[in-house]
Amino acid sequence: MGTLSVNQSKLQKRLRRLAGEAVTDFNMIEDGDKVMVCLSGGKDSYTMLDVLLHLQKVAPIKFEIVAVNMDQKQPGFPEHVLPEYLKSIGVDYHIVEKDTYSVVMEKIPEGKTTCSLCSRLRRGTLYTFADEIGATKMALGHHRDDILETFFLNMFYGGTLKAMPPKLRADDGRNVVIRPLAYCSEKDIEAYSELKGFPIIPCNLCGSQENLQRKVVKEMLLDWERKTPGRTEIMFRALQNVMPSQLADRNLFDFTNLRIDENATPRFVDVMNL
């Protein structure tokens, strides 16, 4: 890539700055960490790797990066693309071969969305591999829009208020997942991916339907952003500003023992005696 224009330079700096802020805010990477960067071949994971490689150069701490891709044996998967790219930029990598495609095709009826089972099988395999190679952190390429979409999906369809946290310890305690792009917008990532000319591998090789619920939520958020620019950023900020006493979760706030404070200062002044 040649010299960047002013706007292109601003885009690159913005992504690097936001990723750096997220890494710092949530203490995602520490000195001596071995970070396993999970690559799917999509725009998000390529951008994440690019940003982390820059952070590795400028950060005041030392940490290792190893890229990992999982070949799920989908028909037509271009096996050569990621190895060639990673060799060209000098990044250590592993290709994990696991035929989850056959399992998904066997378990999911034709015409039904395969994404959920596919992602669970992929995640379990990657968790295990991270443990095998001694990775202390697993980096995933989810961005701000992914996190918000997941929040609304869980609220609308799951009846829970939860999203994708920027940093998460797995249930078994053996893996810590980080999302360095948590503050970055999908729009910026898409523009940066086009700018860098990453060799994108499509996510439709399995021929499955798109996750229709996520598509509906994505369109809803895009429509809100078109009508009220800046709303996406405000909603994401709300995820960082939770007030349990203003919700209704009895496990997060003790509503049962909530009573008046007899020692509190009276709210109203007796104006007749002023």
Side-chain angles (χ1 to χ4, degrees):
M1 187 175 63
T3 304
L4 298 180
S5 69
V6 173
N7 287 337
Q8 290 171 339
S9 180
K10 286 182 178 179
L11 171 64
Q12 185 178 67
K13 289 178 180 178
R14 182 162 61 248
L15 286 170
R16 290 175 173 178
R17 173 178 56 80
L18 290 172
E21 288 177 3
V23 168
T24 301
D25 287 350
F26 294 92
N27 193 29
M28 292 186 188
I29 301 176
E30 299 169 271
D31 193 48
D33 267 341
K34 182 174 184 177
V35 182
M36 183 175 113
V37 179
C38 300
L39 290 181
S40 65
K43 67 182 189 314
D44 305 330
S45 58
Y46 276 124
T47 299
M48 175 179 63
L49 175 62
D50 184 272
V51 168
L52 287 178
L53 288 172
H54 171 74
L55 184 61
Q56 187 183 43
K57 294 177 182 177
V58 301
I61 59 174
K62 301 294 183 182
F63 62 94
E64 183 181 349
I65 288 177
V66 56
V68 173
N69 169 254
M70 183 174 164
D71 181 355
Q72 298 177 263
K73 298 304 176 184
Q74 296 170 331
F77 181 76
E79 298 178 2
H80 64 286
V81 172
L82 277 167
E84 288 179 359
Y85 173 75
L86 294 170
K87 286 177 183 175
S88 73
I89 61 173
V91 172
D92 292 335
Y93 71 92
H94 297 278
I95 304 296
V96 180
E97 298 188 7
K98 183 90 168 179
D99 187 5
T100 60
Y101 173 81
S102 297
V103 177
V104 172
M105 292 298 102
E106 178 184 343
K107 300 292 184 182
I108 303 296
E110 186 176 354
K112 296 294 183 179
T113 302
T114 62
C115 300
S116 178
L117 177 58
C118 181
S119 63
R120 287 202 304 273
L121 293 173
R122 182 173 62 248
R123 184 166 59 247
T125 302
L126 290 172
Y127 277 176
T128 301
F129 189 73
D131 201 19
E132 290 175 1
I133 65 174
T136 53
K137 303 289 171 56
M138 275 180 60
L140 303 181
H142 299 118
H143 46 68
R144 184 188 68 186
D145 300 72
D146 287 326
I147 293 171
L148 274 176
E149 288 166 18
T150 301
F151 171 78
F152 282 104
L153 277 168
N154 284 321
M155 182 168 63
F156 292 161
Y157 301 105
T160 59
L161 286 180
K162 67 177 184 178
M164 294 174 172
K167 185 178 181 181
L168 172 72
R169 185 171 63 188
D171 292 339
D172 63 4
R174 296 195 62 83
N175 302 101
V176 173
V177 172
I178 60 174
R179 296 181 168 97
L181 301 183
Y183 290 171
C184 301
S185 71
E186 184 173 23
K187 182 179 178 181
D188 278 352
I189 292 169
E190 187 170 5
Y192 189 67
S193 179
E194 292 178 2
L195 170 65
K196 297 286 287 187
F198 296 133
I200 303 297
I201 298 174
C203 190
N204 60 358
L205 294 172
C206 57
S208 68
Q209 289 182 334
E210 186 177 359
N211 187 321
L212 297 180
Q213 292 177 343
R214 184 170 288 274
K215 183 178 180 181
V216 169
V217 170
K218 180 184 284 287
E219 288 298 323
M220 177 191 75
L221 295 177
L222 288 173
D223 186 53
W224 284 356
E225 183 66 24
R226 283 191 293 265
K227 292 178 179 177
T228 312
R231 178 175 286 187
T232 301
E233 184 176 347
I234 293 171
M235 289 188 294
F236 185 80
R237 198 157 61 239
L239 296 182
Q240 301 171 279
N241 190 24
V242 179
M243 299 183 180
S245 66
Q246 307 302 304
L247 298 174
D249 191 329
R250 289 170 293 155
N251 293 316
L252 289 181
F253 189 80
D254 185 9
F255 293 99
T256 302
N257 295 308
L258 197 63
R259 295 177 177 83
I260 64 169
D261 181 356
E262 299 289 352
N263 298 316
T265 303
R267 179 180 295 123
F268 302 106
V269 176
D270 186 355
V271 295
M272 300 300 295
N273 294 322
L274 288 178

